[in-house]
Amino acid sequence: MRFLLAFAIACTLIGCGSTSPDTSTNSANPEAHQTEQLALVPYPSTVEIAKGKFTLANRVHLEAANGSETAKPALQALLTQLDITLSDTAPSQIELIMVEEPELGEEGYRLLIDTQISISANTDAGLFYGVQTLRQLLPASAQAEYALPLVAITDAPAFAWRGNMLDVARSFFPPEYIKSHIDRMARFKLNRLHLHLSDDQGWRVEINKYPKLTEIGGPSAVEGGRSGFYTQEEVRELVAYAQARHVTLVPEIDLPGHTQAALASYNELACDDVTNLSTYSGLEVGFSKLCLTNPEVIYPWVEDVLSEIIELFPSEYIHIGGDEIKDPLYAEFIARATQIVDDLGRTAIVWEEGSVADNDPDVLLQLWNDEYDIQPALERGHQLILSPCSYTYFDHGNYAGQPQTYDWCRKEGVPLERAYSLDTSAFGAAVGVESALWTELVHTDAAADNRLWPRLAVTAELGWSQASQRDYQQFTDRLTQLRPQLDALGIQYYLAPELGW
Ligand code: TNX
């Protein structure tokens, strides 16, 4: 409050806002087109800019509230990167302050830059996001001194779920890549990394009770893709790494279809008449399934596997797949599997098709076909993760006809502007938005970067900024200014001509 007051006084003295002498609220809505914008993605809820600059010295005094467990190290890392040293007698000061301001919610923050820098929030997460905003306001690499705009930012996300799905089953991504991906997501305030851990082409997570899943399913992959798996120790390390960056790892074990790797490992999970029990490296979908007429075999296995998954991943939500399979007992299976997750003390997510089952309304549905009739499920009280493929499937081209991309959902691919045009309010009760990278055709870190970036910045803005504030032109301007930050993160992004890159 003290600083807001100071800011208001400063505004009266020197004038705030770039187009008028009064304090101007600079949200990213079309009417604000003429107004100066800060190079921030996602754009904050409210931004007030005063004339003048604050110069941050290369020695800084840091005051961090108790409980800023992740925000403080994140800030320290940022300062170190910029060759700014900490000292109690330094001329510049940065404060992380815990407050109680209900309107900031669980993840919101205030960032004030006037005669010093202060970030306040109700939670460590909020402070962490304030630090990310400060990170974007600062240059990507070290300089002699740092000139910052005089701003008062109040910010909170539109959605709790701001996600990305990475298919590590078709083609494996090693822990190092997952860590950089988490870093990059966190920089843009994305907070859910959904790992598609099993499919026909591979099984990627060690399950102690069923070692053959990774002995046989681990070395398997889509043709041209990487094989491998995460040991339980590696999973724990990734979970901790993600937690320190406010990213929840959401595991998916795809059931009852997309299970060839499991069937090849434990043949008894398949019906007796199934003759193909080899591992699979092709591109087909929809040919494999657990033997649903053998409940005494498959359900104990499902329970055991999910129990270990739940031990490994603290996520409240556990994804059980449910896509692309036809079987008379499908709905019964989904209802039972979501109940197993519930009995284990968590809540299930299923792909949209699972909405035909009699699930508890708490179960989250992930919408992936734009036209799927999800209305009946909404009427039963379900909530949605929005992944409509014609906007969010980043295995589709950055442009029409991009080599090694799919176009089954949209033949023009999913260019940046298309991705940005997703109307998140059109689909009813949404907890948020999640873009997806399926990896049948994505086999290297570089290819993944190319499909993910810069489009993932769109997911970030759709998930965080209010729908009424979005403006594609302004978004591209801001993103272009942030390009050095993408470079500093080592991202091998697609050189989008629409950004002039
Ligand atoms: C559909 S989307 C799938 C995946 C494929 C993807 C390719 C969904 C739930 N299932 O198995 O990898 O298309 O774009």
Side-chain angles (χ1 to χ4, degrees), residues 303 310 335-347:
E303 245 181 83
I310 276 155
R336 242 176 113 162
T338 60
Q339 188 57 48
I340 289 172
V341 174
D342 192 74
D343 292 344
L344 291 167
R346 308 289 178 87
T347 307

Side-chain angles (χ1 to χ4, degrees), residues 170 199 258 285 323-324 351 368 393 395-396 406 408 438 440:
R170 269 55 177 267
D199 211 299
H258 288 267
V285 294
D323 56 321
E324 297 180 314
W351 293 107
W368 61 281
Y393 269 30
D395 64 345
H396 281 52
Y406 273 137
W408 61 262
W438 301 100
E440 287 99 324

Side-chain angles (χ1 to χ4, degrees), residues 271-456:
C271 286
D272 291 342
D273 59 347
V274 174
T275 51
N276 174 12
L277 292 165
S278 333
T279 54
Y280 179 73
S281 62
L283 301 177
E284 295 302 310
V285 294
F287 61 89
S288 64
K289 59 184 168 191
L290 302 178
C291 188
L292 302 187
T293 50
N294 262 350
E296 67 289 350
V297 177
I298 62 163
Y299 288 109
W301 178 82
V302 168
E303 245 181 83
D304 290 342
V305 167
L306 291 178
S307 305
E308 287 197 36
I309 291 293
I310 276 155
E311 282 302 311
L312 288 171
F313 293 90
S315 171
E316 180 191 346
Y317 290 98
I318 306 291
H319 205 310
I320 56 137
D323 56 321
E324 297 180 314
I325 190 70
K326 292 227 166 351
D327 190 288
L329 294 174
Y330 170 78
E332 185 190 318
F333 175 87
I334 294 295
R336 242 176 113 162
T338 60
Q339 188 57 48
I340 289 172
V341 174
D342 192 74
D343 292 344
L344 291 167
R346 308 289 178 87
T347 307
I349 307 172
V350 282
W351 293 107
E352 61 194 16
E353 297 99 309
S355 64
V356 300
D358 183 18
N359 297 312
D360 189 283
D362 286 354
V363 168
L364 281 185
L365 303 173
Q366 187 161 12
L367 184 91
W368 61 281
N369 282 292
D370 299 32
E371 307 299 335
Y372 189 87
D373 182 14
I374 204 71
Q375 200 51 39
L378 294 181
E379 282 159 18
R380 294 197 306 275
H382 288 281
Q383 288 191 294
L384 302 179
I385 299 170
L386 301 179
S387 305
C389 55
S390 81
Y391 301 88
T392 68
Y393 269 30
F394 295 168
D395 64 345
H396 281 52
N398 285 292
Y399 58 92
Q402 181 176 10
Q404 292 291 97
T405 62
Y406 273 137
D407 66 358
W408 61 262
C409 180
R410 190 167 188 269
K411 64 180 180 342
E412 303 88 350
V414 181
L416 200 64
E417 183 163 12
R418 169 69 186 181
Y420 199 85
S421 69
L422 171 64
D423 176 4
T424 46
S425 63
F427 293 88
V431 295
V433 48
E434 184 176 294
S435 50
L437 185 60
W438 301 100
T439 57
E440 287 99 324
L441 306 176
V442 178
H443 306 150
T444 61
D445 295 354
D449 278 10
N450 173 283
R451 304 300 184 275
L452 288 168
W453 298 96
R455 289 183 289 188
L456 207 46

